Amino acid sequence: MRHKRIPKRKAVLAGAAAMGMVATAVLLQQANASQSGTEAAEGPAAKRISAASAAKLLEPMASQLGDAYGGAYYDEAKQQLVVNVVGDDNAVNVQVRRAGAVARSVDNSTGELGTAAKTLATRATIAGTAWATDPRTNQIVVTADRTVTGERWDKLESTVDSLGTGMARIQKSAGEFKPFASGGDAIFGGGARCSLGFNVTTEDGSPGFLTAGHCGVAAESWSDAQGGAAIGTVQAATFPGEGDFALVTYDDPATEAPSEVNTGDGQAVEITQAAEAAVGLEVSRMGSTTGLNEGTVTGLNATVNYAEGTVTGLIQTDVCAEPGDSGGSLFTADGSAIGLTSGGSGDCTAGGETFFQPVTTALAAVGAEIGAGGGN
């Protein structure tokens, strides 16, 4: 981490990525199977677009399709946006194809899936469980770790069954939701060791950074060396609840905060914007325990029932992680900031998945932005 005096308006984003301290997590397994359905063949061929372009294309479409919208995902192999459509209204299919996407027939709308998720939250908020929407299968994927047994398992299973055929599926995880007591290689505070996620510019133009919320509630002041002088102070932190993120501002307003993720060996990826995740998006995660690892977004709007409480609105991926990687940066090869590591289980030998706080949501909540006023 570099600390040079420069005009504070030039303070922009860096991604020292890694993980840290007390995050418990559930990991949903990747759901790659496709629901049986048909892709409408009429009309112009779907556009070959980037994942970032697919996310922008989808933004207005979701609201325009209304009750017919059943979610969407990015087909990385074909470089196409696939939009799930409920019902037999050909005009909707034509609208999707004219926009440049692939229309795919499914049974469940996002509204119906959302109602099902609310039922799970009301009747099955059990420590050691998690659920996320998987548009590839047009279902909610519910995962229970190995501690969910007996009456708790029966309650979860009966709740999933009550949602109806094809609405949700349940699976077991070999892991266990537990605190990530070790940490990353970036910042230290109150006996905890966590990691800086992305540097940002705050509302008043001062430099700061985002990290995991469970780090932000663990200590008020943070240093870049164990036992060293504080370099930043927590201004806001959310955990548990509607996210897992914290904003820390640098105590020295002239601190240089470069807009990049340090990927090791003297290499870095320049970060130019914050972007929404999309199922199928290829992503990279940097953590000080396991270094740079790659994978794919497999679910959105995930709910995780940690021992400390429930966290909602997370991104689910199949990127491996281990204790010490929490709080690290999730990003794309083209320089988009996607997420902050919330927690996980498994390891990078046998495999595993992780949950991430969306960067866009965190930025909106704390009133900050990527870069020196030019980020999204």
Side-chain angles (χ1 to χ4, degrees):
M1 188 179 297
R2 295 171 289 170
H3 302 288
K4 300 178 181 178
R5 289 189 172 272
I6 61 171
K8 67 180 181 179
R9 284 287 180 182
K10 292 185 179 179
V12 287
L13 165 145
M19 276 179 96
M21 149 111 205
V22 194
T24 47
V26 180
L27 291 180
L28 296 182
Q29 297 179 358
Q30 180 180 7
N32 286 325
S34 294
Q35 173 180 321
S36 60
T38 59
E39 293 179 1
E42 300 175 9
K47 299 176 182 178
R48 291 173 61 87
I49 56 178
S50 68
S53 296
K56 292 179 180 179
L57 178 63
L58 182 61
E59 286 179 11
M61 194 179 304
S63 59
Q64 290 169 2
L65 298 184
D67 293 340
Y69 180 61
Y73 62 92
Y74 182 66
D75 187 328
E76 189 77 35
K78 295 182 179 179
Q79 294 183 306
Q80 294 176 336
L81 175 66
V82 180
V83 177
N84 294 334
V85 177
V86 178
D88 55 3
D89 188 343
N90 188 57
V92 174
N93 291 329
V94 171
Q95 181 180 354
V96 171
R97 294 195 299 274
R98 284 179 176 172
V102 176
R104 174 173 174 258
S105 177
V106 298
D107 295 327
N108 304 316
S109 69
T110 54
E112 291 168 330
L113 292 168
T115 298
K118 290 180 181 178
T119 299
L120 287 167
T122 301
R123 297 172 51 187
T125 297
I126 300 166
T129 63
W131 50 83
T133 302
D134 177 13
R136 293 179 185 270
T137 60
N138 191 228
Q139 291 180 323
I140 296 175
V141 181
V142 182
T143 297
D145 76 8
R146 64 188 179 192
T147 69
V148 181
T149 59
E151 293 182 357
R152 296 165 69 225
W153 169 262
D154 293 341
K155 181 179 180 180
L156 181 64
E157 189 173 41
S158 64
T159 302
V160 170
D161 289 343
S162 73
L163 299 177
T165 303
M167 184 63 68
R169 73 178 188 274
I170 189 170
Q171 59 189 23
K172 291 283 287 184
S173 170
E176 180 180 349
F177 309 169
K178 55 186 178 181
F180 282 171
S182 59
D185 192 20
I187 52 176
F188 303 81
R193 181 177 179 176
C194 289
S195 296
L196 186 154
F198 295 99
N199 284 321
V200 298
T201 301
T202 63
E203 287 182 306
D204 67 358
S206 300
F209 62 84
L210 296 176
T211 188
H214 58 268
C215 299
V217 300
E220 181 180 0
S221 297
W222 290 87
S223 171
D224 61 353
Q226 192 167 16
I231 63 166
T233 302
V234 175
Q235 302 300 325
T238 296
F239 180 83
E242 296 181 358
D244 185 1
F245 59 90
L247 171 67
V248 181
T249 54
Y250 288 103
D251 294 337
D252 181 354
T255 297
E256 179 184 3
S259 186
E260 60 187 27
V261 171
N262 175 12
T263 56
D265 296 327
Q267 303 297 310
V269 173
E270 182 182 5
I271 300 299
T272 60
Q273 64 178 352
E276 300 287 351
V279 170
L281 178 67
E282 292 185 352
V283 288
S284 298
R285 176 194 58 74
M286 184 63 194
S288 65
T289 298
T290 59
L292 185 66
N293 285 274
E294 299 176 345
T296 304
V297 174
T298 60
L300 300 176
N301 197 28
T303 294
V304 185
N305 295 306
Y306 293 119
E308 290 84 355
T310 299
V311 180
T312 60
L314 302 182
I315 300 165
Q316 175 198 334
T317 83
D318 62 4
V319 185
C320 73
E322 296 181 7
D325 288 330
S326 182
S329 311
L330 186 74
F331 59 97
T332 62
D334 65 359
S336 294
I338 302 296
L340 307 164
T341 308
S342 174
S345 66
D347 57 50
C348 288
T349 299
E353 298 80 21
T354 43
F355 291 106
F356 295 83
Q357 164 66 46
V359 168
T360 52
T361 305
L363 291 172
V366 301
E369 57 187 4
I370 294 295
N376 295 326

